[in-house]
């Protein structure tokens, strides 16, 4: 079965750090560009970041640039999101998602994880 | 990058058709045929319903269809069913980033 499973969410104080993981299975992970998308409680979906197949190219939303780092370990079939200098407005469910046609600009996100909740609060 | 504009809510009776609009700019929806639509039920992950403006993934009902004209994309659901009640989001490639719409809550009356 093709699936993505996120982990690593939790409660963190403002200014703190957290690393999210997204474990992939059932497909050739190293062939796919991957993205992170978040959703604040009661709000809409917001794109966060993307990484290409071999990890050599990344892109970020302005709201997280300089604070978040996306990476991947193709040997472990795992995607990561390192989140530093966290703010209250980063509180959200974080989803990892696969690009449908594999590589390049996303034509669609066909596989999503179940999400992991990050709460930034003192 | 500003969010794409969707109506906050739409409603329809079972069997009817509804259309959800998604308005962007010439930098996103207007420039790329990389518009997709997602259905999200409460507490669940989004589900892909339409990709590349009008293509349907395997397993998605043919009651769902998509189109685009200029800077506006649309999702049409025909023959509304109770299980269609959910939030719907449009999404577009925007050059070096991705932008989502604010979401539309569909109520089946």
């Amino acid at each position: 079965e093709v699936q993505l499973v996120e982990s690593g969410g939790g409660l963190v104080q403002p200014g703190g750090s957290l690393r999210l993981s997204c474990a992939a299975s059932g497909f050739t992970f190293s062939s796919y560009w991957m993205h992170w998308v978040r959703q604040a409680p009661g709000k809409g979906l917001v794109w966060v970041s993307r990484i290409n197949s071999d990890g050599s190219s990344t892109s970020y939303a302005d709201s997280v640039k300089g604070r978040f780092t996306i990476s991947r370990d193709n040997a472990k079939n795992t995607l990561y999101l390192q989140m530093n200098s966290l703010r209250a407005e980063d509180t959200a469910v974080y989803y990892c998602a696969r690009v449908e046609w594999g590589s390049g600009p996303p034509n669609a996100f066909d596989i999503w994880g179940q999400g992991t909740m990050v709460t930034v609060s003192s | 990058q500003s969010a794409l504009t969707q109506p906050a809510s739409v409603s329809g009776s079972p069997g009817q058709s509804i259309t959800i609009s998604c308005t962007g700019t010439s930098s996103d929806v207007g420039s790329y045929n990389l518009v997709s639509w997602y259905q999200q039920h409460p507490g669940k992950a989004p589900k892909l319903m339409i990709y590349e403006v009008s293509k349907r993934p395997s397993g998605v009902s043919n009651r769902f269809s998509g189109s685009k004209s200029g800077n506006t994309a649309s999702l049409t659901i025909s023959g509304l069913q109770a299980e269609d009640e959910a939030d719907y989001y449009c999404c577009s490639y925007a050059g070096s980033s991705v932008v989502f719409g604010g979401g539309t809550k569909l109520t089946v009356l």
Side-chain angles (χ1 to χ4, degrees):
Chain A
E1 180 190 5
V2 174
Q3 66 175 356
L4 298 169
V5 179
E6 299 98 337
S7 61
L11 174 64
V12 61
Q13 292 187 338
S17 298
L18 213 54
R19 188 177 83 155
L20 306 183
S21 299
C22 168
S25 60
F27 65 98
T28 305
F29 177 69
S30 59
S31 297
Y32 287 82
W33 290 31
M34 298 293 296
H35 292 243
W36 287 99
V37 176
R38 69 185 181 184
Q39 185 171 34
K43 302 297 185 180
L45 301 172
V46 176
W47 177 77
V48 173
S49 182
R50 71 91 178 144
I51 189 167
N52 69 344
S53 304
D54 65 6
S56 61
S57 173
T58 59
S59 181
Y60 301 91
D62 288 344
S63 59
V64 307
K65 200 172 295 183
R67 300 188 299 122
F68 289 13
T69 301
I70 189 172
S71 63
R72 64 193 296 161
D73 185 336
N74 286 341
K76 295 183 177 180
N77 291 334
T78 303
L79 173 73
Y80 302 101
L81 186 67
Q82 176 67 43
M83 303 185 296
N84 299 330
S85 302
L86 282 162
R87 307 166 180 168
E89 54 264 37
D90 295 319
T91 293
V93 174
Y94 284 75
Y95 295 101
C96 57
R98 186 184 83 165
V99 173
E100 192 273 341
W101 58 12
S103 62
N107 63 327
F109 300 121
D110 65 334
I111 304 296
W112 295 69
Q114 84 288 354
T116 187
M117 182 69 204
V118 173
T119 303
V120 184
S121 175
S122 54
Chain B
Q1 188 72 33
S2 299
L4 306 176
T5 301
Q6 297 180 232
S9 64
V10 298
S11 62
S13 299
Q16 289 186 331
S17 295
I18 64 94
T19 296
I20 300 172
S21 61
C22 169
T23 301
T25 69
S26 57
S27 296
D28 39 63
V29 174
S31 285
Y32 307 96
N33 287 325
L34 297 178
V35 175
S36 51
W37 290 88
Y38 302 87
Q39 176 191 67
Q40 187 180 36
H41 287 108
K44 300 294 187 181
K47 175 187 176 183
L48 176 64
M49 305 302 286
I50 294 289
Y51 67 103
E52 292 176 42
V53 177
S54 59
K55 296 179 180 179
R56 246 187 342 268
S58 173
V60 172
S61 170
N62 59 9
R63 297 185 298 105
F64 290 83
S65 62
S67 63
K68 188 184 89 166
S69 177
N71 296 337
T72 298
S74 299
L75 172 71
T76 297
I77 308 174
S78 59
L80 271 178
Q81 299 179 0
E83 58 262 37
D84 298 334
E85 185 161 296
D87 293 327
Y88 291 84
Y89 294 91
C90 60
C91 176
S92 175
Y93 178 61
S96 59
S97 64
V98 174
V99 61
F100 285 91
T104 299
K105 182 176 181 56
L106 169 61
T107 300
V108 180
L109 302 170

